[in-house]
Amino acid sequence: MQHQISPVEINDWRSRLRSCLTASGKTRSQVCSEAGLNPAYLTQILEQKGATPRIDNLQKLANVLQTTVTYLVDGVDMGPEATECLSLYTAMTPERRSAVMCIMRDLAARSTALDA
């Protein structure tokens, strides 16, 4: 899933969500309808101070807006491989996660050394 956002730095999830909404060309009500949410849901979470979306609802919105929850929440645009890695990682036991992290750190350090 890719979104078409300008490379301007966007610092918070509300701004990223608004930008994705604008890029979609859809109204708030249309996006909510397609996501199976109350038509006023986007207005509620975007305009009410302290209002935060549940992760399952954010996933629904991300799907309709053709982006990812990680982009909306953290500003990190993960491609399919990174998404798969995260999915596999979360399915592992804590011990295996630790081992995978050691391997990844080692590979990253070796890559950095080779590039230098």
Side-chain angles (χ1 to χ4, degrees), residues 3 5 10-26 28 31-32 37 41-47 51-54 57-69 71-75:
H3 51 82
I5 304 296
I10 302 174
N11 295 319
D12 66 81
W13 69 267
R14 283 184 177 90
S15 295
R16 287 187 290 275
L17 184 54
R18 282 186 187 103
S19 292
C20 288
L21 179 62
T22 299
S24 77
K26 298 176 182 180
R28 290 178 179 188
V31 170
C32 288
L37 300 169
Y41 185 75
L42 267 172
T43 298
Q44 184 180 22
I45 64 169
L46 288 173
E47 306 303 334
T52 55
R54 290 189 345 220
N57 289 338
L58 202 55
Q59 181 64 61
K60 292 174 186 176
L61 293 171
N63 289 343
V64 172
L65 296 171
Q66 296 185 325
T67 190
T68 62
V69 171
Y71 175 74
L72 293 175
V73 173
D74 296 321

Side-chain angles (χ1 to χ4, degrees), residues 2 4 14 23 25 43 50 56 65 67 74-75 85 87 89 92 105 109:
Q2 297 297 319
Q4 301 298 318
R14 283 184 177 90
T43 298
D56 61 326
L65 296 171
T67 190
D74 296 321
C85 286
S87 177
Y89 178 83
M92 294 178 191
R105 288 182 186 115

